[in-house]
Amino acid sequence: QLQLQESGPGLVKPSETLALTCTVSGGSISSSSYYWGWIRQPPGKGLEWIGSIYYTGSTYYNPSLKSRVSISIDTSTNHFSLKLSSVTAADAAVYYCARAAGSYYPHDFDYWGQGSLVTVSS
Amino acid sequence: EIVLTQSPGTLSLSPGERATLSCRASQSVSSTYLAWYQQKPGQAPRLLIYAISSRATGIPDRFSGSGSGTDFTLTISRLEPEDFAVYYCQQYDTSLTFGGGTKVEIK
């Protein structure tokens, strides 16, 4: 059974960089059939796609976040990572990592991590 | 960007009733690039429907999806107690965007 687990600091200071890692177990991150992505959800609000990465390193980002986002992948350790720079209070959210079907473009997300709550405060 | 508008915001129904949830896109979603998710409090979303009408693995057949172009529908034929939750649609035609959600609550 595929499992995804987010890890990283739960508290980030304003203007600093948020960094999270997603560790994938029970399957290979190098599969040619899937993208790996990040989605966030502010408390009490809806879902926002941040970006997705293929095992080759090819990425797609949400245009509204593109200037601040970087997603990377490490196939040797089966994990992928998110960096979001210059954070503000608006970036406080539960951050989910997830697997998306697709070989040329990320589609629907069929496996999700449990989520990691990130607070932005000095 | 394709904006997805879900309605109603809240649906109050009783177990055994039929639920009809709407997702309207600001422009046509080409091919079959629309999915539906269920989210319960404190949990990650769960994929219910992909490609407009295909049920994900393990999803009961009381859940069905339909639609095309700009108008899409998720139908729950007979609500079970575990179906009361928030439901989101998502398109993956142009970038990826989610709707704002519909909460299905017990009447």
Side-chain angles (χ1 to χ4, degrees), chain A residues 39 41 45-49 52 60-64 96 100 105-110 112-115, chain B residues 1 33 35 37 39 42-47 49-51 88 90 92-100:
Chain A
I39 302 98
Q41 185 172 37
K45 296 188 178 181
L47 301 165
E48 181 180 34
W49 173 68
S52 297
Y60 290 97
Y61 296 132
N62 185 325
S64 69
Y96 294 101
Y105 196 76
H107 291 177
D108 46 279
F109 297 95
D110 59 354
W112 295 66
Q114 64 185 24
Chain B
E1 168 181 298
Y33 297 155
Y37 300 83
Q39 187 178 33
Q43 297 184 15
R46 177 174 72 143
L47 178 66
I49 301 285
Y50 64 95
Y88 295 95
Q90 177 224 339
Y92 39 95
D93 175 13
T94 304
S95 189
L96 278 77
T97 54
F98 289 89

Side-chain angles (χ1 to χ4, degrees), chain B residues 18-105:
Chain B
R18 181 184 187 88
T20 303
L21 287 67
S22 173
C23 175
R24 179 161 290 177
S26 60
Q27 62 192 75
S28 183
V29 176
S30 60
S31 191
T32 58
Y33 297 155
L34 190 111
W36 289 91
Y37 300 83
Q38 176 193 70
Q39 187 178 33
K40 297 179 181 179
Q43 297 184 15
R46 177 174 72 143
L47 178 66
L48 297 175
I49 301 285
Y50 64 95
I52 298 179
S53 60
S54 297
R55 274 186 298 276
T57 302
I59 302 303
D61 60 7
R62 64 180 182 272
F63 291 92
S64 63
S66 63
S68 65
T70 60
D71 291 301
F72 301 91
T73 301
L74 174 70
T75 301
I76 310 171
S77 58
R78 287 178 57 85
L79 283 164
E80 297 288 340
E82 62 268 28
D83 299 337
F84 292 92
V86 179
Y87 293 82
Y88 295 95
C89 56
Q90 177 224 339
Q91 65 81 24
Y92 39 95
D93 175 13
T94 304
S95 189
L96 278 77
T97 54
F98 289 89
T102 290
K103 181 180 182 179
V104 179
E105 66 175 22

